Amino acid sequence: QVQLVESGGGLVQAGGSLRLTCAVSGRTPITYVMAWFRQAPGKERDFLAAIHWSGGTTFYADSVKGRFTISRDNAKNTVYLQMNSLKPEDTAVYHCSARRFGVVTNSAGYDYWGQGTQVTVSS
């Protein structure tokens, strides 16, 4: 069982930056993949980025490539999402997630979820 708790959301002006944090507890086998999704009101949950827990290989959605960076600190059991050059359309609830192995971009493929953290970008 894995527990995920996000933090770091808030209100920021367009062009600003935020760093989201996902605290991971419980069993985290080395094969795990950690990912960030977001969901705006009335929209589907969209894949943003993923990282292999052990090797650190990263994957990004085209929509955030070059602006968002996913990273992890194994010693702290923490995953981060650094978000730069934020736009009003980045406003959403951001969720951390985990699956046992292999990167997929469909939210249905992830086994564990945090409660989410709200990010609001003003114009």
Side-chain angles (χ1 to χ4, degrees), residues 7-118:
S7 60
L11 174 64
V12 63
Q13 288 188 331
S17 299
L18 280 175
R19 188 177 78 160
L20 304 183
T21 298
C22 175
V24 183
S25 59
R27 287 179 56 87
T28 51
I30 60 173
T31 60
Y32 265 47
V33 170
M34 309 299 298
W36 286 95
F37 286 75
R38 68 184 178 192
Q39 188 167 21
K43 295 189 176 181
E44 295 185 350
R45 192 166 290 190
D46 291 332
F47 171 82
L48 300 175
I51 188 168
H52 283 289
W53 188 253
S54 60
T57 305
T58 57
F59 306 84
Y60 294 94
D62 288 342
S63 59
V64 302
K65 199 174 294 183
R67 294 194 302 128
F68 291 8
T69 302
I70 189 171
S71 61
R72 91 274 188 252
D73 185 331
N74 289 18
K76 296 182 179 180
N77 275 4
T78 302
V79 179
Y80 303 100
L81 185 67
Q82 177 68 43
M83 306 186 295
N84 299 327
S85 302
L86 283 163
K87 308 172 183 179
E89 50 264 43
D90 293 318
T91 295
V93 177
Y94 284 68
H95 294 272
C96 179
S97 61
R99 59 180 272 121
R100 289 176 176 81
F101 54 89
V103 176
V104 299
T105 59
N106 189 327
S107 61
Y110 286 78
D111 304 303
Y112 304 102
W113 291 89
Q115 82 289 348
T117 185
Q118 176 70 46

